[in-house]
Amino acid sequence: MENEIIKYLTKHTSLSDELIDIVIASTIIKNYKKGTVLLREGEISKESYFVLKGCVRSYFINDGEERTIEFYTEEQPVLPIGYGKGIPSGQYLECIEDSVLTLNTTEHEKEMFLKYPQFESICRIMTEVMMANFQESFVNYKITNPEERYLFLQKERPYLFQRVPQYQLASYLGIKPESLSRLRKRLNRK
Amino acid sequence: MENEIIKYLTKHTSLSDELIDIVIASTIIKNYKKGTVLLREGEISKESYFVLKGCVRSYFINDGEERTIEFYTEEQPVLPIGYGKGIPSGQYLECIEDSVLTLNTTEHEKEMFLKYPQFESICRIMTEVMMANFQESFVNYKITNPEERYLFLQKERPYLFQRVPQYQLASYLGIKPESLSRLRKRLNRK
């Protein structure tokens, strides 16, 4: 399964054979049971992940209500907000399926940068890729209404509709569960 | 004014005296008149900026309607979505005040990385900082309602209320201009 990471990295950057071996040798893979909370509000986030299998949900609790920010599935990096900043997080990260993740820590990254300076370049490029994805998600959310978001999700990530509870999907789309059922009914009639 | 960039960079990373000289020597500063469009939908974005003075608005046009994504003011980097990706942008970037910006291009960056490999590390860290800011903005937008966003803006960036036209502010908050005036009246009565 390490190959998934190599596949992901080589989509965006060119890795020498040497670096491929290093990445594979230094990758830590862990299994997490459904329901595992990887990060809680108030905790300091020191770990980042890459999803090999499963689904991680990122959410916040605001006025007692869960607000889902993202669902991370296969071949997506999970970078907690404030990762490596040393300040308490406001975020929750939870495995909503049995998941297989690679695990990365800030200490491990620092070590790698010292040992293999070429990693700086790869990490810069990968951070740029992640930022671009983030910018796109933000813009898409901001310029669309819930119906457009629903249709976009149906087209781009249809599998989420089977894998994710309805109330989480609703809050991800920025609406209440009741509005999601109404939206569904309306779209089914079309 | 180059010192503003050095100030910004040293907030997040440590620069050797040599690198400070290099950054200053390689910085291109340009003046832009109010109304200058730096990037248009359909164009390929090859330039990024840093605001020394003035204000750059980022927006999209969706169904004929402008949707403001961000206002970049003093000491903020402006990284267009899709910067360096070589694909046509959906974004507009416009100077809504007379502005002084530093100018960076993908070619210039590549040159710098070859000449001064230490730049990779600085760019990685700065990209991480920008990404963290982006993540925060996204989350704040997603977990708040327009009134909360308005109060947050009033607290964090009160100067925007003087510098930015009302209709742009409304779309930035995710509401119609009429709703913004109603919101204002309601808050003034409190």
Side-chain angles (χ1 to χ4, degrees):
Chain A
M1 276 215 277
E2 293 96 335
N3 288 341
E4 301 300 319
I5 307 168
I6 302 298
K7 219 170 80 188
Y8 176 73
L9 292 175
T10 48
K11 240 190 232 170
H12 304 287
T13 177
S14 60
L15 292 178
S16 65
D17 287 348
E18 192 205 348
L19 270 183
I20 289 181
D21 290 342
I22 294 167
V23 170
I24 291 179
S26 68
T27 296
I28 302 160
I29 296 180
K30 278 185 81 172
N31 290 285
Y32 298 88
K33 280 271 161 224
K34 180 178 172 173
T36 306
V37 179
L38 302 167
L39 180 69
R40 266 187 189 80
E41 188 178 352
E43 290 179 352
I44 290 172
S45 109
K46 289 181 183 165
E47 297 181 349
S48 66
Y49 313 88
F50 180 84
V51 182
L52 294 172
K53 206 177 163 336
C55 183
V56 176
R57 177 170 73 112
S58 150
Y59 65 96
F60 282 70
I61 297 182
N62 199 23
D63 290 335
E65 231 177 286
E66 283 182 14
R67 311 278 183 110
T68 298
I69 305 298
E70 195 49 86
F71 299 104
Y72 299 98
T73 51
E74 286 75 14
E75 286 179 54
Q76 286 192 303
V78 184
L79 197 78
I81 298 164
Y83 170 66
K85 270 190 177 173
I87 50 171
S89 174
Q91 190 182 16
Y92 290 81
L93 287 175
E94 182 192 2
C95 299
I96 62 168
E97 295 176 352
D98 288 345
S99 299
V100 186
L101 311 177
T102 78
L103 177 69
N104 194 22
T105 65
T106 43
E107 283 85 10
H108 181 237
E109 257 177 29
K110 269 183 213 148
E111 251 178 63
M112 293 290 279
F113 290 150
L114 281 177
K115 256 174 142 170
Y116 315 103
Q118 319 93 296
F119 260 116
E120 286 271 10
S121 173
I122 291 170
C123 279
R124 178 185 60 77
I125 294 168
M126 296 319 298
T127 309
E128 282 175 11
V129 168
M130 280 189 268
M131 182 164 75
N133 291 341
F134 236 104
Q135 282 186 306
E136 268 180 43
S137 306
F138 187 16
V139 166
N140 281 338
Y141 190 84
K142 214 168 171 179
I143 69 175
T144 52
N145 60 37
E147 178 172 328
E148 289 166 328
R149 282 174 216 148
Y150 182 95
L151 294 171
F152 182 80
L153 206 64
Q154 218 171 27
K155 197 171 144 244
E156 296 296 322
R157 304 181 74 188
Y159 50 87
L160 280 185
F161 290 84
Q162 270 73 55
R163 294 170 64 174
V164 163
Q166 292 306 298
Y167 80 96
Q168 294 179 3
L169 206 62
S171 96
Y172 178 66
L173 295 169
I175 52 179
K176 303 260 173 224
E178 313 84 79
S179 311
L180 178 57
S181 351
R182 276 199 302 273
L183 179 59
R184 280 198 165 188
K185 277 184 205 144
R186 202 168 63 240
L187 289 172
N188 282 338
R189 276 201 301 270
K190 274 187 185 173
Chain B
M1 277 216 276
E2 292 96 335
N3 288 341
E4 301 300 319
I5 307 169
I6 301 298
K7 219 170 76 189
Y8 176 74
L9 291 176
T10 48
K11 241 189 234 170
H12 304 286
T13 176
S14 61
L15 292 178
S16 64
D17 288 348
E18 192 205 348
L19 269 184
I20 290 182
D21 291 343
I22 293 167
V23 169
I24 291 181
S26 68
T27 295
I28 303 162
I29 296 180
K30 278 185 81 171
N31 290 284
Y32 298 88
K33 281 270 160 226
K34 179 178 170 170
T36 306
V37 179
L38 302 168
L39 181 68
R40 264 187 191 81
E41 188 180 350
E43 289 179 354
I44 290 172
S45 110
K46 289 181 184 165
E47 297 181 350
S48 67
Y49 313 89
F50 180 84
V51 182
L52 294 170
K53 206 178 165 329
C55 183
V56 176
R57 177 170 73 111
S58 150
Y59 64 97
F60 282 71
I61 297 183
N62 199 23
D63 289 335
E65 232 178 285
E66 284 180 14
R67 310 278 184 110
T68 298
I69 305 297
E70 195 49 86
F71 299 104
Y72 299 98
T73 51
E74 285 76 14
E75 287 179 54
Q76 286 193 305
V78 185
L79 197 78
I81 298 163
Y83 170 65
K85 270 192 180 172
I87 49 169
S89 173
Q91 190 182 18
Y92 289 81
L93 288 173
E94 182 192 2
C95 299
I96 62 168
E97 296 176 351
D98 289 345
S99 299
V100 186
L101 311 177
T102 77
L103 177 68
N104 194 21
T105 64
T106 42
E107 282 86 10
H108 182 239
E109 256 177 32
K110 268 184 216 150
E111 251 177 62
M112 293 291 279
F113 290 149
L114 280 177
K115 255 174 142 169
Y116 314 104
Q118 319 95 296
F119 260 115
E120 286 270 10
S121 174
I122 292 169
C123 280
R124 176 185 60 80
I125 294 167
M126 297 319 298
T127 309
E128 282 175 10
V129 169
M130 281 190 268
M131 183 164 74
N133 292 340
F134 236 104
Q135 280 186 308
E136 267 180 45
S137 306
F138 186 16
V139 166
N140 281 338
Y141 190 85
K142 214 167 171 180
I143 69 175
T144 53
N145 62 36
E147 178 172 328
E148 290 166 327
R149 282 173 214 148
Y150 183 95
L151 294 171
F152 182 80
L153 207 63
Q154 216 171 30
K155 196 171 144 244
E156 297 296 322
R157 304 180 76 188
Y159 50 85
L160 279 186
F161 290 84
Q162 271 73 56
R163 292 170 66 175
V164 164
Q166 292 307 297
Y167 80 96
Q168 293 178 5
L169 205 61
S171 95
Y172 177 67
L173 296 168
I175 51 178
K176 303 260 172 223
E178 313 84 78
S179 311
L180 178 57
S181 352
R182 275 198 304 273
L183 179 60
R184 281 200 163 183
K185 276 183 206 144
R186 200 168 66 238
L187 290 173
N188 282 338
R189 276 201 303 269
K190 275 189 186 173

